[in-house]
Amino acid sequence: IRLRSSLLVNDDLLIDFGPDLLASAQRFNRDLSQVTTGLVTHAHMDHFFLGNFSMRGLGFTAHRTIPTLRLFGPREVKEMLAVEHPDLSLLRMEASTVHPFERWTSGAYDITAYRAYHAVDHLEALFYSVTDRQHAFLYATDTGPFPEDTWQALEGQSFDLIIMEETMGTGTYSQHMSIESFLEHAGRMRAGGMLRPGGRLIAHHMSHT
């Protein structure tokens, strides 16, 4: 029953586009046609499945008018899209490359990218914080213990919600979190005032183990 992880916010912001995206939308009765901002953490297939974007073409949408999707992610995301879909305008899409610690605005959201410790030596992996200038959340999946420059970039920030991966359970793997490393990070976040009063910290991205 575990599907690959995505996060839909306010019907217009979507983080990660894995192979279970359509099934998840159907299960929870969500309409993805109004998503205008997309964030991709990294180009592994379970977070970035190119088949999702083919369905934005006119042949799949019965010529329905949908807004342009602005997609942001590491450089591999734009490169892989260009090979599969040289003209993104046919899919009503734009793609931009972002880098660790870059900040930008898309729609109603101010977004910051952080360096993840994952896919080391073959892909760039990111995670993100998002704020609408009233509420803020941190979405940190597919990462081992945070790199120190990421901790430094997070200093002084606070969130209503922190969603942090806990992939490994009691197992160990340097590029994912275990329950032990999750609890260590949660403690450091609470001690540093990163969780606002009444805020929630959620374990996420759990494997079958």
Side-chain angles (χ1 to χ4, degrees):
I1 61 172
R2 174 195 179 273
L3 302 182
R4 270 65 65 98
S5 301
S6 298
L7 179 69
L8 178 66
V9 180
N10 296 333
D11 293 327
D12 62 356
L13 168 66
L14 182 64
I15 304 180
D16 281 340
F17 295 72
D20 299 321
L21 182 59
L22 180 58
S24 296
Q26 292 171 337
R27 176 185 288 185
F28 296 108
N29 194 29
R30 308 312 300 174
D31 179 2
L32 302 179
S33 67
Q34 298 307 302
V35 172
T36 53
T37 298
L39 306 177
V40 179
T41 56
H42 63 299
H44 281 163
M45 180 272 293
D46 57 329
H47 291 258
F48 180 60
F49 180 63
L50 286 168
N52 287 318
F53 304 102
S54 300
M55 290 185 284
R56 295 182 58 85
L58 294 176
F60 282 97
T61 58
H63 295 266
R64 179 179 178 180
T65 299
I66 59 175
T68 297
L69 168 63
R70 301 178 66 202
L71 192 69
F72 302 90
R75 62 177 179 83
E76 293 89 359
V77 168
K78 188 172 182 178
E79 291 171 357
M80 291 170 65
L81 273 172
V83 172
E84 192 80 10
H85 303 288
D87 186 357
L88 288 180
S89 68
L90 297 177
L91 304 181
R92 288 152 303 177
M93 287 179 61
E94 301 171 355
S96 299
T97 296
V98 293
H99 303 283
F101 316 118
E102 188 173 342
R103 299 183 180 186
W104 70 98
T105 297
S106 181
Y109 307 107
D110 294 334
I111 304 164
T112 304
Y114 302 91
R115 188 190 318 280
Y117 188 72
H118 185 72
V120 175
D121 297 330
H122 68 280
L123 290 176
E124 185 170 61
L126 304 171
F127 58 84
Y128 300 98
S129 66
V130 178
T131 178
D132 63 0
R133 304 173 196 97
Q134 181 179 3
H135 300 103
F137 70 89
L138 179 70
Y139 188 80
T141 67
D142 278 62
T143 182
F146 293 1
E148 195 55 40
D149 54 0
T150 289
W151 278 119
Q152 291 171 5
L154 288 167
E155 284 184 7
Q157 298 193 56
S158 64
F159 305 98
D160 301 282
L161 176 65
I162 297 173
I163 303 172
M164 187 164 56
E165 80 138 76
E166 197 277 284
T167 302
M168 298 306 298
T170 57
T172 57
Y173 177 58
S174 65
Q175 298 179 40
H176 279 297
M177 296 273 219
S178 66
I179 185 63
E180 182 179 0
S181 54
F182 174 89
L183 292 172
E184 289 174 353
H185 280 56
R188 182 170 175 177
M189 288 172 167
R190 291 181 187 277
M194 288 178 57
L195 197 62
R196 295 175 181 174
R200 299 179 68 190
L201 198 156
I202 296 174
H204 183 53
H205 198 271
M206 299 176 186
S207 78
H208 292 293
T209 58

